[in-house]
Amino acid sequence: QMTEQSAVVKLGMTTGQSYTVKELFTAMTVNSANDAAIALAEMVSGSEAEFVGLMNEQAKKFGLQKPTFFNASGLDGAYVG
């Protein structure tokens, strides 16, 4: 899925390989692995798009006026592949 196409930094995930939430979270936070962020988003919400909706809803709850998340990594502009 999208995890194989994510931009910038990748963990190098393989289709069909299983990863633990701990492995994905560590890769996402320590290595900034965007494919791991997408995989976690898909695990939580079924798709990255659904997860981004949750991100934007939560940002509004935090008091942000105009949250504009477009993907699970939070990257935008030239960084999005």
Side-chain angles (χ1 to χ4, degrees):
Q1 273 199 357
M2 290 280 296
T3 53
E4 293 179 343
Q5 302 172 11
S6 60
V8 188
V9 179
K10 289 187 175 185
L11 179 60
M13 299 172 66
T14 304
T15 301
Q17 171 104 16
S18 294
Y19 300 91
T20 67
V21 170
K22 182 178 179 179
E23 289 171 325
L24 293 172
F25 185 80
T26 300
M28 178 186 71
T29 56
V30 176
N31 301 334
S32 297
N34 299 315
D35 52 353
I38 293 169
L40 286 169
E42 291 172 348
M43 290 172 69
V44 169
S45 298
S47 72
E48 183 179 25
E50 290 291 321
F51 187 78
V52 169
L54 291 176
M55 289 172 66
N56 286 318
E57 287 176 24
Q58 187 62 51
K60 287 180 184 176
K61 290 178 184 176
F62 288 148
L64 297 177
Q65 298 286 322
K66 297 179 183 179
T68 54
F69 292 105
F70 299 102
N71 54 55
S73 67
L75 297 174
D76 63 356
Y79 295 108
V80 178

